[in-house]
Amino acid sequence: MDSLSLSQYLLIALVFVWSGIVRSGLGFGGAVLSLPFLLLIDDRPQVYLPIISVHLLLFGGLTVLRGQQKFKNNQNEHLSPIDWNYLKKAMGVMLIPKIIGVLGLVSLPNNVLSGIIFVIVFAYSLSYIFNKPFKSQHPWIDNTFLILGGYISGTSLIGAPLIITVFSKHVHKNQLRDTLFALWVILVSIKMAAFIWVGLDLQLKHALYLLPPVALGHWIGLKLHHRLQQAEPVMFFRVIGLALLCICLIGFYQALQSFF
């Protein structure tokens, strides 16, 4: 990144403000909704992925610790900010596929995986937006989504939306964001270990330079999250649906670009 111009640095900083808002406001989407803009500025995903991972570990970890400390100090709180029971259950399903994805032991066509995921998530996003949620009575469907999401999160960044469609069904809305943060910290730690193993530059200097923009976005996102928690459940899931729809539209756009 040392070769970039000042205008490019400023644009990248603005995108990282946006990523901080989305990540802390919703608990997901910070990477998927910011990476396409970053690639328009400088088309080198291997530069941005370590920076995004470092920021997620830092702010995700701080959010989890802050939520847990607040829960311990507030005797009137009966609901932990993290649904540890479901998190452990989901990780039991996702861990092996995640490791396989990181190691690349199974090679599946990215365009096929992307297409399947974005079609599924597109359908879920519309169900949230129009308040017509899918009511699957088959746990194996949720486990299939978690397995696919775990594997693809190991190979790329597009597995998160599939995971969220499952978590949003089983985790209370007031626990959803922090539970997702705890999950991302675990999954990204595995990813970071793989980065270190293959010798990828973690861009720690630039991750440090971009901390102020991300911190600003994180603070704004906290305000957004507080408002969403107080909103009606229908409005809360409508916002979730709109965010997933944006992710799908970006994915469809990138898929079309690959064909033309």
Side-chain angles (χ1 to χ4, degrees):
M1 289 182 66
D2 292 325
S3 61
L4 299 180
S5 66
L6 178 60
S7 61
Q8 286 177 307
Y9 277 121
L10 292 175
L11 289 173
I12 289 172
L14 287 175
V15 174
F16 273 94
V17 172
W18 163 245
S19 72
I21 293 173
V22 175
R23 183 186 301 117
S24 65
L26 298 177
F28 70 94
V32 180
L33 291 176
S34 61
L35 192 59
F37 298 111
L38 292 170
L39 295 179
L40 290 175
I41 300 169
D42 182 40
D43 189 16
R44 291 183 295 170
Q46 72 275 14
V47 172
Y48 299 118
L49 290 177
I51 296 175
I52 293 171
S53 298
V54 169
H55 288 164
L56 198 155
L57 281 177
L58 175 61
F59 288 99
L62 287 175
T63 301
V64 170
L65 291 174
R66 179 175 175 269
Q68 290 297 107
Q69 189 62 44
K70 183 179 178 181
F71 174 66
K72 290 179 180 178
N73 293 338
N74 192 345
Q75 300 298 323
N76 296 323
E77 286 284 344
H78 300 292
L79 190 66
S80 169
I82 298 175
D83 188 339
W84 292 108
N85 289 331
Y86 189 74
L87 180 60
K88 292 174 184 177
K89 179 180 177 182
M91 277 305 304
V93 177
M94 295 171 56
L95 183 58
I96 293 178
K98 171 71 178 183
I99 294 173
I100 292 174
V102 169
L103 297 178
L105 297 179
V106 177
S107 180
L108 298 175
N110 283 333
N111 58 341
V112 173
L113 287 173
S114 300
I116 293 172
I117 284 180
F118 286 128
V119 167
I120 293 172
V121 175
F122 180 77
Y124 268 91
S125 69
L126 294 181
S127 76
Y128 291 148
I129 292 170
F130 295 109
N131 193 27
K132 300 290 184 182
F134 296 119
K135 297 186 182 297
S136 170
Q137 303 299 322
H138 304 287
W140 67 266
I141 295 178
D142 289 344
N143 288 339
T144 300
F145 285 1
L146 290 177
I147 289 170
L148 283 174
Y151 169 72
I152 297 163
S153 72
T155 60
S156 65
L157 286 172
I158 62 173
L162 199 56
I163 296 169
I164 293 156
T165 60
V166 179
F167 269 65
S168 62
K169 289 169 53 181
H170 297 280
V171 179
H172 190 278
K173 75 166 190 173
N174 290 342
Q175 295 176 294
L176 182 60
R177 188 198 65 158
D178 282 26
T179 303
L180 288 173
F181 265 128
L183 175 66
W184 304 147
V185 167
I186 296 170
L187 296 181
V188 171
S189 296
I190 297 173
K191 192 86 167 180
M192 287 290 286
F195 288 158
I196 296 171
W197 184 42
V198 300
L200 184 67
D201 186 354
L202 298 184
Q203 304 291 334
L204 294 179
K205 179 179 73 173
H206 295 97
L208 181 63
Y209 291 160
L210 289 165
L211 275 180
V214 178
L216 174 61
H218 186 80
W219 178 78
I220 297 172
L222 290 176
K223 303 296 183 183
L224 170 64
H225 178 67
H226 180 68
R227 287 181 176 273
L228 287 175
Q229 279 190 314
Q230 295 179 332
E232 292 294 325
V234 172
M235 180 57 67
F236 174 80
F237 284 105
R238 188 161 288 160
V239 173
I240 296 290
L242 287 170
L244 291 174
L245 180 62
C246 290
I247 292 171
C248 291
L249 292 177
I250 291 173
F252 290 148
Y253 172 73
Q254 291 176 331
L256 287 174
Q257 279 191 319
S258 66
F259 284 108
F260 298 103

